[in-house]
PDB file of all heavy atoms in Angstrom:
ATOM      1  N   ASP G   1     116.460  52.236 -46.710  1.00  0.00           N
ATOM      2  CA  ASP G   1     117.368  51.853 -47.779  1.00  0.00           C
ATOM      3  C   ASP G   1     116.658  51.112 -48.900  1.00  0.00           C
ATOM      4  O   ASP G   1     117.022  51.216 -50.067  1.00  0.00           O
ATOM      5  CB  ASP G   1     118.493  50.978 -47.213  1.00  0.00           C
ATOM      6  CG  ASP G   1     119.402  51.771 -46.282  1.00  0.00           C
ATOM      7  OD1 ASP G   1     119.458  53.007 -46.421  1.00  0.00           O
ATOM      8  OD2 ASP G   1     120.049  51.145 -45.430  1.00  0.00           O
ATOM      9  N   CYS G   2     115.644  50.332 -48.533  1.00  0.00           N
ATOM     10  CA  CYS G   2     114.943  49.556 -49.552  1.00  0.00           C
ATOM     11  C   CYS G   2     113.924  50.396 -50.299  1.00  0.00           C
ATOM     12  O   CYS G   2     113.263  49.931 -51.196  1.00  0.00           O
ATOM     13  CB  CYS G   2     114.258  48.349 -48.920  1.00  0.00           C
ATOM     14  SG  CYS G   2     112.976  48.806 -47.774  1.00  0.00           S
ATOM     15  N   LEU G   3     113.847  51.663 -49.945  1.00  0.00           N
ATOM     16  CA  LEU G   3     112.874  52.536 -50.610  1.00  0.00           C
ATOM     17  C   LEU G   3     113.587  53.596 -51.436  1.00  0.00           C
ATOM     18  O   LEU G   3     113.258  54.768 -51.390  1.00  0.00           O
ATOM     19  CB  LEU G   3     111.973  53.207 -49.560  1.00  0.00           C
ATOM     20  CG  LEU G   3     110.993  52.284 -48.847  1.00  0.00           C
ATOM     21  CD1 LEU G   3     110.197  53.083 -47.826  1.00  0.00           C
ATOM     22  CD2 LEU G   3     110.068  51.611 -49.804  1.00  0.00           C
ATOM     23  N   GLN G   4     114.618  53.175 -52.173  1.00  0.00           N
ATOM     24  CA  GLN G   4     115.305  54.129 -53.027  1.00  0.00           C
ATOM     25  C   GLN G   4     114.381  54.636 -54.124  1.00  0.00           C
ATOM     26  O   GLN G   4     114.545  55.720 -54.634  1.00  0.00           O
ATOM     27  CB  GLN G   4     116.549  53.466 -53.645  1.00  0.00           C
ATOM     28  CG  GLN G   4     117.614  53.103 -52.611  1.00  0.00           C
ATOM     29  CD  GLN G   4     118.089  54.303 -51.830  1.00  0.00           C
ATOM     30  OE1 GLN G   4     118.387  55.352 -52.396  1.00  0.00           O
ATOM     31  NE2 GLN G   4     118.133  54.188 -50.517  1.00  0.00           N
ATOM     32  N   SER G   5     113.410  53.830 -54.544  1.00  0.00           N
ATOM     33  CA  SER G   5     112.394  54.266 -55.496  1.00  0.00           C
ATOM     34  C   SER G   5     111.022  54.042 -54.884  1.00  0.00           C
ATOM     35  O   SER G   5     110.176  53.343 -55.446  1.00  0.00           O
ATOM     36  CB  SER G   5     112.519  53.492 -56.812  1.00  0.00           C
ATOM     37  OG  SER G   5     113.782  53.691 -57.395  1.00  0.00           O
ATOM     38  N   PRO G   6     110.735  54.627 -53.721  1.00  0.00           N
ATOM     39  CA  PRO G   6     109.524  54.298 -52.974  1.00  0.00           C
ATOM     40  C   PRO G   6     108.266  54.839 -53.602  1.00  0.00           C
ATOM     41  O   PRO G   6     107.202  54.269 -53.473  1.00  0.00           O
ATOM     42  CB  PRO G   6     109.773  54.966 -51.616  1.00  0.00           C
ATOM     43  CG  PRO G   6     110.650  56.128 -51.942  1.00  0.00           C
ATOM     44  CD  PRO G   6     111.521  55.685 -53.064  1.00  0.00           C
ATOM     45  N   TYR G   7     108.407  55.966 -54.305  1.00  0.00           N
ATOM     46  CA  TYR G   7     107.223  56.614 -54.833  1.00  0.00           C
ATOM     47  C   TYR G   7     106.535  55.777 -55.902  1.00  0.00           C
ATOM     48  O   TYR G   7     105.373  55.955 -56.178  1.00  0.00           O
ATOM     49  CB  TYR G   7     107.588  57.997 -55.389  1.00  0.00           C
ATOM     50  CG  TYR G   7     108.859  58.024 -56.184  1.00  0.00           C
ATOM     51  CD1 TYR G   7     108.860  57.730 -57.538  1.00  0.00           C
ATOM     52  CD2 TYR G   7     110.060  58.364 -55.579  1.00  0.00           C
ATOM     53  CE1 TYR G   7     110.019  57.760 -58.266  1.00  0.00           C
ATOM     54  CE2 TYR G   7     111.236  58.395 -56.311  1.00  0.00           C
ATOM     55  CZ  TYR G   7     111.204  58.102 -57.652  1.00  0.00           C
ATOM     56  OH  TYR G   7     112.359  58.129 -58.384  1.00  0.00           O
ATOM     57  N   ALA G   8     107.268  54.854 -56.550  1.00  0.00           N
ATOM     58  CA  ALA G   8     106.648  53.981 -57.545  1.00  0.00           C
ATOM     59  C   ALA G   8     105.669  53.026 -56.881  1.00  0.00           C
ATOM     60  O   ALA G   8     104.689  52.618 -57.484  1.00  0.00           O
ATOM     61  CB  ALA G   8     107.725  53.204 -58.292  1.00  0.00           C
ATOM     62  N   LEU G   9     105.935  52.671 -55.644  1.00  0.00           N
ATOM     63  CA  LEU G   9     105.098  51.701 -54.951  1.00  0.00           C
ATOM     64  C   LEU G   9     103.689  52.220 -54.722  1.00  0.00           C
ATOM     65  O   LEU G   9     102.732  51.473 -54.821  1.00  0.00           O
ATOM     66  CB  LEU G   9     105.736  51.330 -53.599  1.00  0.00           C
ATOM     67  CG  LEU G   9     107.070  50.598 -53.652  1.00  0.00           C
ATOM     68  CD1 LEU G   9     107.623  50.421 -52.248  1.00  0.00           C
ATOM     69  CD2 LEU G   9     106.912  49.243 -54.308  1.00  0.00           C
ATOM     70  N   VAL G  10     103.547  53.488 -54.403  1.00  0.00           N
ATOM     71  CA  VAL G  10     102.243  54.013 -54.019  1.00  0.00           C
ATOM     72  C   VAL G  10     101.310  54.160 -55.212  1.00  0.00           C
ATOM     73  O   VAL G  10     100.088  54.191 -55.058  1.00  0.00           O
ATOM     74  CB  VAL G  10     102.411  55.366 -53.283  1.00  0.00           C
ATOM     75  CG1 VAL G  10     102.663  56.498 -54.265  1.00  0.00           C
ATOM     76  CG2 VAL G  10     101.203  55.668 -52.415  1.00  0.00           C
ATOM     77  N   ASP G  11     101.858  54.209 -56.429  1.00  0.00           N
ATOM     78  CA  ASP G  11     101.018  54.364 -57.613  1.00  0.00           C
ATOM     79  C   ASP G  11     100.151  53.135 -57.872  1.00  0.00           C
ATOM     80  O   ASP G  11      99.057  53.250 -58.425  1.00  0.00           O
ATOM     81  CB  ASP G  11     101.887  54.632 -58.851  1.00  0.00           C
ATOM     82  CG  ASP G  11     102.616  55.951 -58.756  1.00  0.00           C
ATOM     83  OD1 ASP G  11     102.079  56.851 -58.092  1.00  0.00           O
ATOM     84  OD2 ASP G  11     103.718  56.075 -59.328  1.00  0.00           O
ATOM     85  N   ILE G  12     100.641  51.957 -57.478  1.00  0.00           N
ATOM     86  CA  ILE G  12      99.896  50.721 -57.743  1.00  0.00           C
ATOM     87  C   ILE G  12      98.594  50.672 -56.951  1.00  0.00           C
ATOM     88  O   ILE G  12      97.517  50.497 -57.528  1.00  0.00           O
ATOM     89  CB  ILE G  12     100.778  49.483 -57.457  1.00  0.00           C
ATOM     90  CG1 ILE G  12     101.988  49.488 -58.401  1.00  0.00           C
ATOM     91  CG2 ILE G  12      99.975  48.195 -57.614  1.00  0.00           C
ATOM     92  CD1 ILE G  12     103.022  48.432 -58.072  1.00  0.00           C
ATOM     93  N   PRO G  13      98.637  50.810 -55.614  1.00  0.00           N
ATOM     94  CA  PRO G  13      97.366  50.833 -54.871  1.00  0.00           C
ATOM     95  C   PRO G  13      96.502  52.037 -55.211  1.00  0.00           C
ATOM     96  O   PRO G  13      95.268  51.937 -55.188  1.00  0.00           O
ATOM     97  CB  PRO G  13      97.800  50.853 -53.401  1.00  0.00           C
ATOM     98  CG  PRO G  13      99.207  51.318 -53.401  1.00  0.00           C
ATOM     99  CD  PRO G  13      99.801  50.852 -54.690  1.00  0.00           C
ATOM    100  N   LEU G  14      97.125  53.170 -55.549  1.00  0.00           N
ATOM    101  CA  LEU G  14      96.352  54.345 -55.941  1.00  0.00           C
ATOM    102  C   LEU G  14      95.530  54.044 -57.186  1.00  0.00           C
ATOM    103  O   LEU G  14      94.336  54.371 -57.253  1.00  0.00           O
ATOM    104  CB  LEU G  14      97.297  55.525 -56.208  1.00  0.00           C
ATOM    105  CG  LEU G  14      96.637  56.854 -56.586  1.00  0.00           C
ATOM    106  CD1 LEU G  14      95.873  57.440 -55.407  1.00  0.00           C
ATOM    107  CD2 LEU G  14      97.683  57.858 -57.081  1.00  0.00           C
ATOM    108  N   PHE G  15      96.141  53.404 -58.173  1.00  0.00           N
ATOM    109  CA  PHE G  15      95.440  53.036 -59.406  1.00  0.00           C
ATOM    110  C   PHE G  15      94.280  52.090 -59.098  1.00  0.00           C
ATOM    111  O   PHE G  15      93.172  52.252 -59.617  1.00  0.00           O
ATOM    112  CB  PHE G  15      96.426  52.380 -60.378  1.00  0.00           C
ATOM    113  CG  PHE G  15      95.856  52.087 -61.733  1.00  0.00           C
ATOM    114  CD1 PHE G  15      95.885  53.045 -62.737  1.00  0.00           C
ATOM    115  CD2 PHE G  15      95.278  50.856 -62.015  1.00  0.00           C
ATOM    116  CE1 PHE G  15      95.355  52.786 -63.987  1.00  0.00           C
ATOM    117  CE2 PHE G  15      94.746  50.579 -63.256  1.00  0.00           C
ATOM    118  CZ  PHE G  15      94.782  51.546 -64.254  1.00  0.00           C
ATOM    119  N   THR G  16      94.521  51.102 -58.234  1.00  0.00           N
ATOM    120  CA  THR G  16      93.498  50.099 -57.916  1.00  0.00           C
ATOM    121  C   THR G  16      92.300  50.721 -57.212  1.00  0.00           C
ATOM    122  O   THR G  16      91.142  50.420 -57.538  1.00  0.00           O
ATOM    123  CB  THR G  16      94.091  48.993 -57.027  1.00  0.00           C
ATOM    124  OG1 THR G  16      95.252  48.457 -57.663  1.00  0.00           O
ATOM    125  CG2 THR G  16      93.088  47.882 -56.806  1.00  0.00           C
ATOM    126  N   VAL G  17      92.567  51.598 -56.250  1.00  0.00           N
ATOM    127  CA  VAL G  17      91.474  52.217 -55.497  1.00  0.00           C
ATOM    128  C   VAL G  17      90.623  53.104 -56.406  1.00  0.00           C
ATOM    129  O   VAL G  17      89.390  53.125 -56.299  1.00  0.00           O
ATOM    130  CB  VAL G  17      92.030  53.025 -54.304  1.00  0.00           C
ATOM    131  CG1 VAL G  17      90.964  53.934 -53.709  1.00  0.00           C
ATOM    132  CG2 VAL G  17      92.548  52.073 -53.228  1.00  0.00           C
ATOM    133  N   TYR G  18      91.263  53.814 -57.326  1.00  0.00           N
ATOM    134  CA  TYR G  18      90.484  54.661 -58.234  1.00  0.00           C
ATOM    135  C   TYR G  18      89.749  53.841 -59.293  1.00  0.00           C
ATOM    136  O   TYR G  18      88.719  54.281 -59.811  1.00  0.00           O
ATOM    137  CB  TYR G  18      91.377  55.741 -58.862  1.00  0.00           C
ATOM    138  CG  TYR G  18      91.420  56.991 -58.012  1.00  0.00           C
ATOM    139  CD1 TYR G  18      92.333  57.110 -56.976  1.00  0.00           C
ATOM    140  CD2 TYR G  18      90.518  58.025 -58.216  1.00  0.00           C
ATOM    141  CE1 TYR G  18      92.363  58.240 -56.183  1.00  0.00           C
ATOM    142  CE2 TYR G  18      90.538  59.164 -57.424  1.00  0.00           C
ATOM    143  CZ  TYR G  18      91.463  59.267 -56.415  1.00  0.00           C
ATOM    144  OH  TYR G  18      91.475  60.387 -55.608  1.00  0.00           O
ATOM    145  N   ILE G  19      90.271  52.672 -59.617  1.00  0.00           N
ATOM    146  CA  ILE G  19      89.515  51.744 -60.468  1.00  0.00           C
ATOM    147  C   ILE G  19      88.238  51.328 -59.738  1.00  0.00           C
ATOM    148  O   ILE G  19      87.141  51.271 -60.323  1.00  0.00           O
ATOM    149  CB  ILE G  19      90.372  50.513 -60.826  1.00  0.00           C
ATOM    150  CG1 ILE G  19      91.384  50.860 -61.919  1.00  0.00           C
ATOM    151  CG2 ILE G  19      89.505  49.347 -61.269  1.00  0.00           C
ATOM    152  CD1 ILE G  19      90.812  50.983 -63.313  1.00  0.00           C
ATOM    153  N   ALA G  20      88.383  51.010 -58.445  1.00  0.00           N
ATOM    154  CA  ALA G  20      87.215  50.642 -57.629  1.00  0.00           C
ATOM    155  C   ALA G  20      86.231  51.802 -57.541  1.00  0.00           C
ATOM    156  O   ALA G  20      85.009  51.612 -57.621  1.00  0.00           O
ATOM    157  CB  ALA G  20      87.665  50.218 -56.233  1.00  0.00           C
ATOM    158  N   PHE G  21      86.761  53.014 -57.390  1.00  0.00           N
ATOM    159  CA  PHE G  21      85.911  54.210 -57.367  1.00  0.00           C
ATOM    160  C   PHE G  21      85.130  54.326 -58.667  1.00  0.00           C
ATOM    161  O   PHE G  21      83.934  54.669 -58.670  1.00  0.00           O
ATOM    162  CB  PHE G  21      86.781  55.450 -57.152  1.00  0.00           C
ATOM    163  CG  PHE G  21      86.095  56.749 -57.478  1.00  0.00           C
ATOM    164  CD1 PHE G  21      85.222  57.329 -56.581  1.00  0.00           C
ATOM    165  CD2 PHE G  21      86.342  57.399 -58.685  1.00  0.00           C
ATOM    166  CE1 PHE G  21      84.581  58.527 -56.887  1.00  0.00           C
ATOM    167  CE2 PHE G  21      85.714  58.592 -58.996  1.00  0.00           C
ATOM    168  CZ  PHE G  21      84.831  59.155 -58.089  1.00  0.00           C
ATOM    169  N   SER G  22      85.790  54.038 -59.783  1.00  0.00           N
ATOM    170  CA  SER G  22      85.133  54.126 -61.092  1.00  0.00           C
ATOM    171  C   SER G  22      83.939  53.187 -61.174  1.00  0.00           C
ATOM    172  O   SER G  22      82.891  53.540 -61.721  1.00  0.00           O
ATOM    173  CB  SER G  22      86.142  53.812 -62.193  1.00  0.00           C
ATOM    174  OG  SER G  22      85.540  53.891 -63.464  1.00  0.00           O
ATOM    175  N   LEU G  23      84.092  51.975 -60.601  1.00  0.00           N
ATOM    176  CA  LEU G  23      82.993  51.007 -60.643  1.00  0.00           C
ATOM    177  C   LEU G  23      81.902  51.340 -59.629  1.00  0.00           C
ATOM    178  O   LEU G  23      80.716  51.390 -59.972  1.00  0.00           O
ATOM    179  CB  LEU G  23      83.520  49.596 -60.367  1.00  0.00           C
ATOM    180  CG  LEU G  23      82.453  48.505 -60.227  1.00  0.00           C
ATOM    181  CD1 LEU G  23      81.690  48.316 -61.538  1.00  0.00           C
ATOM    182  CD2 LEU G  23      83.066  47.189 -59.778  1.00  0.00           C
ATOM    183  N   LEU G  24      82.298  51.607 -58.373  1.00  0.00           N
ATOM    184  CA  LEU G  24      81.326  51.712 -57.282  1.00  0.00           C
ATOM    185  C   LEU G  24      80.675  53.083 -57.178  1.00  0.00           C
ATOM    186  O   LEU G  24      79.570  53.200 -56.644  1.00  0.00           O
ATOM    187  CB  LEU G  24      82.015  51.355 -55.954  1.00  0.00           C
ATOM    188  CG  LEU G  24      82.635  49.952 -55.907  1.00  0.00           C
ATOM    189  CD1 LEU G  24      83.425  49.768 -54.622  1.00  0.00           C
ATOM    190  CD2 LEU G  24      81.567  48.884 -56.051  1.00  0.00           C
ATOM    191  N   SER G  25      81.333  54.114 -57.688  1.00  0.00           N
ATOM    192  CA  SER G  25      80.751  55.458 -57.611  1.00  0.00           C
ATOM    193  C   SER G  25      80.281  55.952 -58.975  1.00  0.00           C
ATOM    194  O   SER G  25      79.133  56.365 -59.138  1.00  0.00           O
ATOM    195  CB  SER G  25      81.768  56.432 -57.010  1.00  0.00           C
ATOM    196  OG  SER G  25      82.008  56.117 -55.651  1.00  0.00           O
ATOM    197  N   VAL G  26      81.166  55.899 -59.996  1.00  0.00           N
ATOM    198  CA  VAL G  26      80.788  56.396 -61.323  1.00  0.00           C
ATOM    199  C   VAL G  26      79.785  55.445 -61.983  1.00  0.00           C
ATOM    200  O   VAL G  26      78.659  55.819 -62.322  1.00  0.00           O
ATOM    201  CB  VAL G  26      82.032  56.586 -62.204  1.00  0.00           C
ATOM    202  CG1 VAL G  26      81.613  57.103 -63.582  1.00  0.00           C
ATOM    203  CG2 VAL G  26      83.014  57.560 -61.555  1.00  0.00           C
ATOM    204  N   GLN G  27      80.205  54.177 -62.150  1.00  0.00           N
ATOM    205  CA  GLN G  27      79.288  53.181 -62.713  1.00  0.00           C
ATOM    206  C   GLN G  27      78.223  52.777 -61.690  1.00  0.00           C
ATOM    207  O   GLN G  27      77.240  52.117 -62.040  1.00  0.00           O
ATOM    208  CB  GLN G  27      80.061  51.935 -63.158  1.00  0.00           C
ATOM    209  CG  GLN G  27      81.064  52.192 -64.265  1.00  0.00           C
ATOM    210  CD  GLN G  27      80.400  52.579 -65.573  1.00  0.00           C
ATOM    211  OE1 GLN G  27      79.306  52.135 -65.882  1.00  0.00           O
ATOM    212  NE2 GLN G  27      81.077  53.420 -66.346  1.00  0.00           N
TER     213      GLN G  27
END
């Protein structure tokens, strides 16, 4: 019930992990 808009939640950690990827792999 508390996940009526659950898909918005996963975008936050997804963004953070790919930011880390940008630093640790690309840069």
Side-chain angles (χ1 to χ4, degrees):
D1 293 336
C2 64
L3 290 179
Q4 294 302 313
S5 300
Y7 43 87
L9 295 175
V10 79
D11 295 331
I12 298 172
L14 182 68
F15 186 88
T16 306
V17 167
Y18 271 86
I19 283 285
F21 164 80
S22 180
L23 173 64
L24 302 173
S25 293
V26 180
Q27 297 293 328

